[in-house]
Amino acid sequence: MREEFLAALRDGYSQSRIIGRKILIYDLVTSTNDLALMLARQGECEGTVLFAAGQTNGRGRLGKKWVSPHGSGLYLSAILRPRLDLDQASFLTICAGVAMCKVLDGLGVENVSIRWPNDVCVRGRKICGILTEAEIRGRKMDHLVLGIGMNVNASCDELVEGATSIKEELGRKFDLTDLGAIILRELDQEYERLLSGRFLKILEDFRQWCDLCAGTRVKIAWADKELEGFVVEFDESGRILIRKDDGTVERVSAGHLTKIA
Ligand code: BTN
């Protein structure tokens, strides 16, 4: 994969302004997010992206495992150092979700949607997961690692139940290098929009892709908390606003969401 990546870098990635300005390629790692967090703590620059052909301990949100069959998916982590408040970190998940929907839509995958906050699905089956992990210095965000796992050429029997892949949806395999380049370009464009403060534009796109709309009744569970109510809106930090039955509105930044019919 390395040779192809380096060639593609010369041809196209160099157009990337921030995300992908430096690319590190690995064969098998525990988790690209773990490695990226370690490098970020050691001062690795903003925009460095780590790709691995496989992961032995790919991680998802809420302690879940990200199944990472070797050579059939894209597993990447970007090191970012945006000047954002810590409570805006989850907006990066929104931003990446929008970018991944655009990538999949552009490939011809139909019925792509975002299941808030970080799953990209096709007809309710997960095709891509996003794991954003921020670390602080003092009271400010020092760095953030944006991890993305995309099921590309895996068959359903290699994936967890309820998941799908680009191959399953389109009936053909994709070149991981080409797809990696497309993902970096799209991510970089969304990140650029974020850095220039165009949060509302990103939110507008997010609403288009998100499978939730105002008025949907949902239940959200996180840690040892749970709440139920109607979706009001998403705010500029990517949090969801829920109107509870007592009329009060609560903002939630992450959790397991279930729609209630
Ligand atoms: C989720 O579904 O909750 C998020 C899954 C994120 C998986 C990606 S794969 C690359 C990066 N490394 C990890 O260990 N996790 C992310």
Side-chain angles (χ1 to χ4, degrees):
M1 197 153 114
R2 173 178 282 269
E3 290 311 312
E4 288 173 48
F5 250 112
L6 294 179
L9 239 183
R10 279 191 295 274
D11 297 346
Y13 295 166
S14 48
Q15 293 164 2
S16 272
R17 266 177 273 177
I18 300 177
I19 297 186
R21 59 157 70 125
K22 178 172 169 190
I23 294 176
L24 303 171
I25 296 166
Y26 301 87
D27 183 39
L28 193 62
V29 299
T30 51
S31 149
T32 53
N33 262 39
D34 287 349
L35 212 53
L37 283 167
M38 192 186 84
L39 292 179
R41 283 178 211 128
Q42 291 168 2
E44 184 61 53
C45 66
E46 153 141 294
T48 297
V49 176
L50 291 75
F51 281 91
Q55 303 182 110
T56 54
N57 193 25
R59 298 186 287 108
R61 268 186 336 119
L62 309 170
K64 290 195 190 132
K65 189 175 162 62
W66 181 260
V67 175
S68 317
H70 190 274
S72 58
L74 276 168
Y75 318 113
L76 62 125
S77 298
I79 296 172
L80 302 175
R81 299 183 183 277
R83 287 208 192 93
L84 292 179
D85 292 338
L86 197 57
D87 67 356
Q88 287 179 304
S90 49
F91 203 81
L92 257 302
T93 308
I94 300 287
C95 201
V98 167
M100 292 309 101
C101 286
K102 289 183 178 176
V103 167
L104 290 164
D105 189 60
L107 294 178
V109 179
E110 290 178 359
N111 298 302
V112 178
S113 63
I114 298 175
R115 189 163 58 195
W116 181 89
N118 70 325
D119 293 346
V120 180
C121 298
V122 178
R123 279 181 292 273
R125 299 172 79 87
K126 188 156 163 177
I127 196 163
C128 171
I130 299 161
L131 179 64
T132 308
E133 297 180 294
E135 293 190 329
I136 51 173
R137 177 173 300 196
R139 294 175 61 195
K140 290 232 164 258
M141 188 192 320
D142 181 64
H143 55 262
L144 178 148
V145 165
L146 175 64
I148 297 179
M150 176 80 84
N151 300 328
V152 184
N153 293 328
S155 313
C156 272
D157 56 4
E158 290 178 85
L159 301 169
V160 292
E161 214 186 309
T164 187
S165 69
I166 299 178
K167 187 188 86 173
E168 290 289 339
E169 295 305 315
L170 295 179
R172 68 183 179 95
K173 289 192 169 190
F174 273 80
D175 183 281
L176 293 178
T177 306
D178 290 346
L179 200 53
I182 295 171
I183 286 178
L184 291 188
R185 197 183 55 219
E186 211 59 61
L187 271 179
D188 189 61
Q189 274 171 15
E190 290 306 318
Y191 190 53
E192 205 277 323
R193 286 214 291 181
L194 179 106
L195 293 185
S196 56
R198 282 174 284 165
F199 292 92
L200 293 178
K201 282 271 169 229
I202 300 172
L203 266 183
E204 223 174 274
D205 284 356
F206 177 77
R207 282 190 204 105
Q208 249 184 44
W209 294 106
C210 186
D211 67 351
L212 285 176
C213 52
T216 309
R217 189 159 179 91
V218 295
K219 189 189 271 184
I220 305 181
W222 72 102
D224 55 353
K225 270 191 91 173
E226 184 174 284
L227 73 78
E228 194 174 318
F230 292 101
V231 175
V232 181
E233 177 52 299
F234 298 96
D235 73 8
E236 289 184 27
S237 298
R239 291 175 299 193
I240 192 168
L241 274 62
I242 303 291
R243 186 179 304 284
K244 296 190 287 187
D245 294 340
D246 64 6
T248 58
V249 173
E250 195 157 330
R251 287 167 198 264
V252 187
S253 59
H256 181 74
L257 182 146
T258 323
K259 285 195 221 175
I260 299 172

